[in-house]
Amino acid sequence: MKCQRCSRAATLHITEILDDQSFEEVHLCEECAQKYLQPQTGSPKGPETESEPDELALLNQKQCPQCGIKFAEFRNTGRLGCPHDYEAFREELMPLLENIHGETRHIGKTPRRQPRAQQIRAELLALRKQLQTAVSRENYEEAARIRDEIRRLEEV
């Protein structure tokens, strides 16, 4: 998608709510977005607003030491350059991942046609690990709950 003010690629998509039933979508490139948002930051520039463009510029220049991708390039393409980028941009990616996926840790999926016995074994294995963790943290109420769940699954 192209910027609505120039011919560059739009990297920022803003939805302005005008009233309860109407809204306006604006698609802008990085430079036009900064100009567009400048009047909305409000009052005469105080110490906080003066540093915001500097912080944004520094963030966009942040770079992965392995592959050399800059954070601005990730923001434009939505793709990371290598596995090391997760550490290089960790602080910026964690809120993004949590917002998109609801978690910051990959849990995975199981095949739908997996036999029930195999699913139960996998659940039991996971519960036993959780039980060990709960006991090591001395969280005995949680450990008792997990123990009861294990017993329930073993009866099936």
Side-chain angles (χ1 to χ4, degrees):
M1 182 173 285
K2 289 189 177 181
C3 175
Q4 291 177 331
R5 294 192 175 176
C6 68
S7 60
R8 290 180 285 206
T11 57
L12 188 68
H13 309 280
I14 302 169
T15 303
E16 294 233 17
I17 300 172
L18 303 173
D19 57 42
D20 288 343
Q21 295 181 359
S22 63
F23 60 91
E24 176 185 20
E25 289 186 356
V26 183
H27 309 283
L28 304 169
C29 68
E30 190 85 24
E31 188 177 317
C32 292
Q34 287 181 356
K35 290 176 187 173
Y36 178 83
L37 294 173
Q38 195 65 34
Q40 294 182 357
T41 54
S43 60
K45 286 191 175 186
E48 311 87 32
T49 56
E50 284 180 4
S51 65
E52 285 177 14
D54 293 338
E55 288 174 21
L56 183 60
L58 285 173
L59 176 62
N60 285 335
Q61 294 304 310
K62 194 172 185 179
Q63 186 172 6
C64 172
Q66 298 292 322
C67 68
I69 189 173
K70 292 185 178 181
F71 189 73
E73 189 176 338
F74 161 70
R75 287 182 55 203
N76 290 339
T77 63
R79 295 180 185 210
L80 296 171
C82 74
H84 302 282
D85 293 345
Y86 288 98
E87 276 304 313
F89 306 129
R90 180 179 183 80
E91 201 173 294
E92 295 79 21
L93 289 175
M94 292 305 267
L96 179 66
L97 290 171
E98 190 166 7
N99 188 26
I100 293 170
H101 299 290
E103 280 291 329
T104 56
R105 196 184 70 144
H106 179 70
I107 296 171
K109 295 182 180 179
T110 57
R112 290 185 184 150
R113 290 184 270 163
Q114 185 178 19
R116 181 70 181 137
Q118 203 171 11
Q119 284 179 330
I120 290 173
R121 273 188 263 137
E123 283 181 55
L124 284 170
L125 184 64
L127 285 170
R128 287 186 180 116
K129 285 181 183 178
Q130 289 176 13
L131 179 62
Q132 287 176 344
T133 304
V135 169
S136 68
R137 286 185 290 168
E138 297 181 7
N139 188 349
Y140 299 115
E141 287 105 12
E142 178 72 10
R145 188 193 62 74
I146 294 170
R147 178 203 63 209
D148 295 342
E149 181 69 18
I150 290 171
R151 285 182 183 163
R152 187 188 64 75
L153 284 173
E154 286 176 336
E155 290 174 0
V156 172

